[in-house]
Amino acid sequence: MATNGVNVLSALADPTRRAVFEALPQGPRSVSELAATIGVTSSAVSQHLKVLREAHLVMMRPEGNRRLYSLDPRGLADARDYLEQFWPSAIAAYSAALSTARADLPDQPTRR
């Protein structure tokens, strides 16, 4: 069973979807604003927003006859939580690589 962290990464794997997501930190935007910014049709933006909403990366609020989309911190927290599980082993591997690299260096004369 996939966690939402995996769903977030999958949702952001598509370049157009990622462009939609990356257009939102400046503030809430409508589908038509996003379409103009990204250079795709409103229909395509709507389909991408649906996937981003399901991954909790964006949220929608109605304003008059428009719907405004903004970033949803829940999805970002899920992605961070998912990636953090790999952090200890990544640090250990980095430390081991540094130790190996130091061992391969020729002895340096000591400074006085």
Side-chain angles (χ1 to χ4, degrees):
M1 182 171 155
T3 66
N4 196 54
V6 173
N7 293 338
V8 167
L9 296 178
S10 295
L12 292 175
D14 180 274
T16 304
R17 197 171 300 128
R18 196 168 47 252
V20 171
F21 176 77
E22 291 171 353
L24 291 171
Q26 295 80 17
R29 293 186 173 200
S30 68
V31 170
S32 60
E33 291 169 327
L34 288 166
T37 300
I38 307 304
V40 297
T41 65
S42 293
S43 176
V45 169
S46 292
Q47 291 174 12
H48 288 298
L49 285 167
K50 180 178 187 254
V51 174
L52 292 169
R53 283 184 69 195
E54 289 170 353
H56 302 286
L57 285 167
V58 299
M59 55 188 159
M60 183 273 299
R61 72 174 164 83
E63 186 177 277
N65 63 351
R66 299 184 330 155
R67 287 169 174 44
L68 297 179
Y69 293 86
S70 59
L71 295 180
D72 186 340
R74 294 177 300 169
L76 295 173
D78 291 341
R80 184 188 60 238
D81 292 345
Y82 173 75
L83 292 171
E84 280 182 352
Q85 71 180 317
F86 303 105
W87 192 244
S89 60
I91 292 295
Y94 180 70
S95 178
L98 283 177
S99 295
T100 301
R102 284 190 191 124
D104 292 341
L105 290 175
D107 289 335
Q108 299 291 322
T110 55
R111 291 186 175 185
R112 294 182 187 206

